[in-house]
Amino acid sequence: MKPVEINPELCSGCRICVRICPARAFTLVNNTAVLNGECTFLCDHCAAACPQAAIITNFPEFAYCRLLTIPDPTTLAPAPVPPAELVRLMQARRSCRLYTDREPGRRILTDLVTIAKTAPSGTNSQQWTFSIINKRSRVIEFGTEIAAYYKKLNRLAEMKWLRQILQLCGKPELNHYYREYYEPIKEGLDLWYEKNEDRLFHGAPALIFIGARPGAGCPAEDALLATQNILLAAESMGLGTCLIGFAVEAMRRDAGIQKTLNIPASEKIYSVIALGYPAIKFQRPAQRRKVAINWIA
Ligand SMILES: Cc1cc2nc3c(=O)[nH]c(=O)nc-3n(C[C@H](O)[C@H](O)[C@H](O)COP(=O)(O)O)c2cc1C
């Protein structure tokens, strides 16, 4: 079977496929759609939008995003979500820093990844990757690697002469780190090592690592859009989430940490989401800085 097949009997010549194909692969001959270019995006827009169901796509590596914990939608066309409900969901999502011990099951975590994949990606490349820890004991093991990284970094940052030399060499990062992060991280490390208190993952029992394989045109954007899907979907499923930038930073700077997770070195990690069942419920939506919109005339 070819990747795209058109049934000329069904085609009404409406030109929708011609107009929406990002690869401009369709043309109309005798008022019937024909493929005259290459289907490079594998986006399926043609088949998904054809009012006559005259186009069939066959991408062996692709499948519909079916979920394990939520029934399939009954209609093809998505029913519009009332904006008030969508906004309520977005407002309800806050960073969770207090979790119960309950570990989210594999089914719900698998569904979160499936939902993540419905995000857009540059040229539909879908080169994102997902790795999951779903045991609190393993989260702590990983946290110990991260703590060791920051312990080393804090030791370097304590050296005033080193900060000054680096600054003179045009590398102000260590000095900046010292001013902004040294103290709170020292406090977090003391709690980690002396009181088994987890300021890093806030006691979360699960982690999702979202990365990208080499070759994606927009790896960071793709991974972060998938990340936002997870944050919102998790909220709607009763899970709390928190992005852990400190873990991403440590993994970027120390390739050995990624190795301990069996994530190939070629994958770059863009987000680490801590998640679990929240031990508190937020009562009010977030307040945000005011923004001035630049209306471009
Ligand atoms: C890129 C990024 C990295 C973050 N890293 C951390 C982190 O390491 N630890 C943490 O507790 N929160 C982290 N956060 C959460 C932010 O602090 C939080 O989103 C922000 O304060 C707004 O609060 P809200 O998410 O509850 O609306 C991070 C958020 C983003 C977007």
Side-chain angles (χ1 to χ4, degrees):
M1 203 177 173
K2 292 181 190 153
V4 180
E5 294 201 344
I6 305 160
N7 184 340
E9 310 272 297
L10 294 177
C11 177
S12 67
C14 70
R15 295 188 81 248
I16 287 179
C17 55
V18 177
R19 290 161 69 200
I20 67 167
C21 174
R24 300 281 177 258
F26 292 87
T27 189
L28 229 57
V29 175
N30 298 330
N31 209 33
T32 301
V34 292
L35 205 65
N36 70 335
E38 212 185 319
C39 173
T40 47
F41 280 62
L42 308 186
C43 67
D44 199 42
H45 280 203
C46 52
C50 177
Q52 308 300 324
I55 303 175
I56 294 170
T57 53
N58 174 45
F59 310 140
E61 287 174 23
F62 286 37
Y64 286 110
C65 295
R66 305 232 188 272
L67 302 173
L68 300 169
T69 63
I70 297 173
D72 282 336
T74 46
T75 52
L76 257 187
V81 177
E85 276 182 31
L86 182 63
V87 172
R88 233 173 273 137
L89 173 66
M90 288 170 164
Q91 288 187 329
R93 185 225 53 84
R94 306 300 313 278
S95 293
C96 179
R97 298 191 178 92
L98 218 49
Y99 297 90
T100 68
D101 294 338
R102 183 177 163 201
E103 288 166 348
R106 274 192 179 222
R107 283 162 62 83
I108 205 165
L109 293 167
T110 305
D111 276 356
L112 287 175
V113 170
T114 306
I115 294 165
K117 290 192 306 179
T118 66
S121 62
T123 63
N124 198 23
S125 74
Q126 303 175 45
Q127 292 302 315
W128 37 45
T129 61
F130 303 90
S131 304
I132 297 180
I133 293 178
N134 63 343
K135 293 247 166 311
R136 174 67 192 154
S137 54
R138 188 65 183 86
V139 172
I140 294 170
E141 248 177 70
F142 173 61
T144 305
E145 300 278 337
I146 304 291
Y149 166 82
Y150 281 104
K151 199 172 161 185
K152 260 188 263 163
L153 187 58
N154 264 19
R155 241 187 255 136
L156 288 178
E158 277 163 12
M159 299 177 196
K160 192 174 176 188
W161 61 269
L162 182 61
R163 297 200 308 270
Q164 285 174 340
I165 286 180
L166 287 171
Q167 181 107 7
L168 285 172
C169 298
K171 292 183 174 163
E173 293 85 359
L174 193 63
N175 206 27
H176 173 77
Y177 172 84
Y178 183 73
R179 275 191 277 113
E180 297 290 325
Y181 299 108
Y182 173 82
E183 274 303 333
I185 285 189
K186 183 175 181 307
E187 197 186 323
L189 287 171
D190 290 346
L191 289 169
W192 180 272
Y193 287 114
E194 286 159 28
K195 300 209 165 134
N196 286 335
E197 198 182 312
D198 174 11
R199 283 271 177 95
L200 179 61
F201 301 120
H202 314 294
L207 299 176
I208 304 181
F209 302 80
I210 304 176
R213 283 182 216 102
C218 316
E221 291 85 347
D222 299 350
L224 294 174
L225 286 162
T227 298
Q228 175 71 349
N229 271 15
I230 291 182
L231 301 187
L232 291 177
E235 178 68 36
S236 77
M237 294 169 167
L239 288 164
T241 57
C242 188
L243 287 167
I244 308 297
F246 282 115
V248 175
E249 178 66 13
M251 290 175 79
R252 281 209 186 133
R253 305 265 169 192
D254 180 349
I257 300 176
Q258 186 161 325
K259 212 169 167 191
T260 65
L261 297 172
N262 282 330
I263 300 176
S266 55
E267 282 178 26
K268 189 167 173 189
I269 298 300
Y270 290 96
S271 67
V272 175
I273 305 174
L275 74 165
Y277 291 92
I280 59 134
K281 192 171 161 36
F282 287 102
Q283 307 292 334
R284 287 200 312 237
Q287 300 191 43
R288 293 290 198 236
R289 284 181 209 280
K290 293 173 184 165
V291 288
I293 300 174
N294 177 17
W295 295 103
I296 299 167

